[in-house]
Amino acid sequence: MRIGILTSGGDCPGLNAVIRAIVLKGIAIHGHEFVGFRDGWRGVVDGDIVPLGRKDIQGIAKQGGTILGTSRTNPFEGPNGGVENIERMLERHGIDAIVAIGGEGTLAAAKRLTDAGLKIVGVPKTVDNDLGATDYTFGFDTAVAIATEAMDRLRTTGESHSRCMVAEVMGRHVGWIALHSGMAAGAHAILIPEQKTSMEQIAKWVRAAYDRGRAPLVVVAEGFVPDHEDNAHTERGLDAFGRPRLGGIGERLAPLIEEMTGIETRATTLGHIQRGGTPTAYDRVLSTRLGLAAIDSVVEERWGRMVALRGTEIEHVSFEEALGELKTVPQARFDEAAIMFG
Ligand code: F6P
């Protein structure tokens, strides 16, 4: 079989380890041939493909990013998009099946194409860890490790200056990175999209930590919406007065915390640092296991299915199930973290 691999959506540490595992097992055990689509679905619609042999994947498990490139291209849009064009392109290049590595958007496109008859298997990818069908996604552990290290550093400078430090981490819709890194770093407040929290409550946590002689550490997920910011406006990127919002949520919270507590406050946005660089050992192992299971799916012709971590085992779930509800932070997980705010 000749199999095409693509990585799509935001990049994430561990993508290269998935590619390596698929190609290694596919060549060594099954004698398949591989090509890579450049820049996700963009490479599919444009027929932009590169050969993927053993040499191409040597030593890449520890490399961040993706050797194939990625984009947020929608394969149903543009002059070359759509099922028929893609089918013609696959035929022209003699490609029998696709392994699509990506998050929600990628899997939704993969489902539509599989429903139309294409042979696709999926591998879940999101640094945010918000796909409901899999217990953990690779990239998440790396992001948490980077955020935790950054917060450990923020604490020593915060302590030296008796300041409150606000760290903004990724998490557009869910607060998993904030919850885990905040717990690991011993944050005095963790603010996540799933949990309504008033400015008064935030100020209370900060003040209490300060009064115990600590330099308060607040971790906030980028998708957190404080009570005083109108949700509808926030989603459109406007503040409650209809003006464009300036800065991320961390930058917007810091002056309010300072004003309400009288404690000098600084904000740091960790941004894409959380997605860059070398994956942790855990993420390399998870990525490798998912890649190995994905090639099994292809060999067994389980089209329209995604590999997923369930407990300690890798299982195969339908795209439909994979596209189910977002995995949000349950109340009990937040409450258990909040006990540690002091
Ligand atoms: O979905 C993963 C994620 O890293 C989010 O946490 C973040 O909001 C978004 O991607 C950033 O996207 P981009 O890299 O396109 O700026």
Side-chain angles (χ1 to χ4, degrees):
M1 241 196 262
R2 190 165 147 89
I3 301 155
I5 303 177
L6 67 90
T7 54
S8 168
D11 76 330
C12 171
L15 285 168
N16 287 326
V18 180
I19 298 169
R20 173 174 167 268
I22 296 171
V23 173
L24 264 184
K25 186 170 181 184
I27 292 176
I29 311 283
H30 304 292
H32 292 321
E33 202 184 315
F34 291 89
V35 294
F37 295 105
R38 291 181 47 122
D39 305 336
W41 295 112
R42 210 265 316 144
V44 175
V45 297
D46 291 346
D48 188 358
I49 65 171
V50 288
L52 262 186
R54 281 194 79 128
K55 264 199 146 52
D56 303 300
I57 47 102
Q58 265 167 13
I60 64 167
K62 58 182 171 300
Q63 270 174 33
T66 160
I67 58 164
L68 295 176
T70 186
S71 70
R72 298 194 192 274
T73 300
N74 180 337
F76 296 95
E77 286 173 0
N80 301 327
V83 179
E84 282 164 22
N85 285 334
I86 292 175
E87 272 173 342
R88 267 199 295 275
M89 185 283 301
L90 292 177
E91 215 179 297
R92 202 165 50 243
H93 292 279
I95 297 166
D96 305 296
I98 295 177
V99 181
I101 312 167
E104 248 199 309
T106 311
L107 295 169
K111 181 181 183 311
R112 262 181 84 180
L113 292 169
T114 312
D115 290 346
L118 270 67
K119 298 174 174 176
I120 306 179
V121 302
V123 178
K125 175 247 38 152
T126 151
V127 83
D128 294 345
N129 197 37
D130 57 3
L131 277 175
T134 184
D135 287 350
Y136 283 99
T137 45
F138 60 84
F140 172 66
D141 185 64
T142 305
V144 169
I146 293 169
T148 304
E149 213 240 285
M151 283 184 228
D152 289 347
R153 290 175 188 277
L154 289 176
R155 286 194 82 151
T156 66
T157 162
E159 276 157 15
S160 305
H161 290 264
S162 300
R163 282 174 174 155
C164 169
M165 304 304 278
V166 178
E168 181 186 312
V169 299
M170 279 189 166
R172 234 184 315 191
H173 306 296
V174 301
W176 287 109
I177 296 178
L179 183 84
H180 280 222
S181 60
M183 259 185 124
H188 302 102
I190 297 175
L191 311 175
I192 59 176
E194 296 90 331
Q195 191 70 31
K196 276 263 153 226
T197 312
S198 66
M199 273 318 296
E200 286 68 32
Q201 176 62 76
I202 298 168
K204 218 161 131 189
W205 281 328
V206 166
R207 190 73 236 175
Y210 193 81
D211 290 346
R212 290 194 305 276
R214 313 306 311 278
L217 173 67
V218 176
V219 51
V220 58
E222 64 184 324
F224 171 72
V225 181
D227 266 4
H228 64 278
E229 285 191 5
D230 169 61
N231 213 337
H233 283 98
T234 306
E235 288 196 345
R236 290 199 301 273
L238 305 172
D239 69 14
F241 307 101
R243 289 177 310 224
R245 280 185 298 128
L246 296 176
I249 181 65
E251 293 282 350
R252 302 203 301 282
L253 284 181
L256 290 178
I257 292 174
E258 183 162 317
E259 199 181 299
M260 291 176 78
T261 62
I263 302 163
E264 200 179 10
T265 303
R266 295 285 189 271
T268 301
T269 302
L270 301 184
H272 289 79
I273 285 176
Q274 294 159 96
R275 271 186 11 205
T278 186
T280 58
Y282 176 89
D283 277 340
R284 292 184 213 181
V285 173
L286 177 58
S287 307
T288 301
R289 292 185 70 207
L290 290 170
L292 295 174
I295 190 64
D296 289 344
S297 273
V298 172
V299 172
E300 289 154 22
E301 308 204 346
R302 299 178 194 235
W303 314 125
R305 296 183 83 76
M306 181 191 87
V307 290
L309 179 71
R310 293 280 174 86
T312 56
E313 299 306 310
I314 307 292
E315 295 184 3
H316 305 258
V317 303
S318 68
F319 281 163
E320 203 150 33
E321 187 178 349
L323 290 165
E325 284 188 7
L326 272 192
K327 184 173 65 206
T328 52
V329 173
Q331 186 66 44
R333 287 295 312 273
F334 179 81
D335 291 345
E336 126 193 312
I339 293 171
M340 307 304 290
F341 297 170

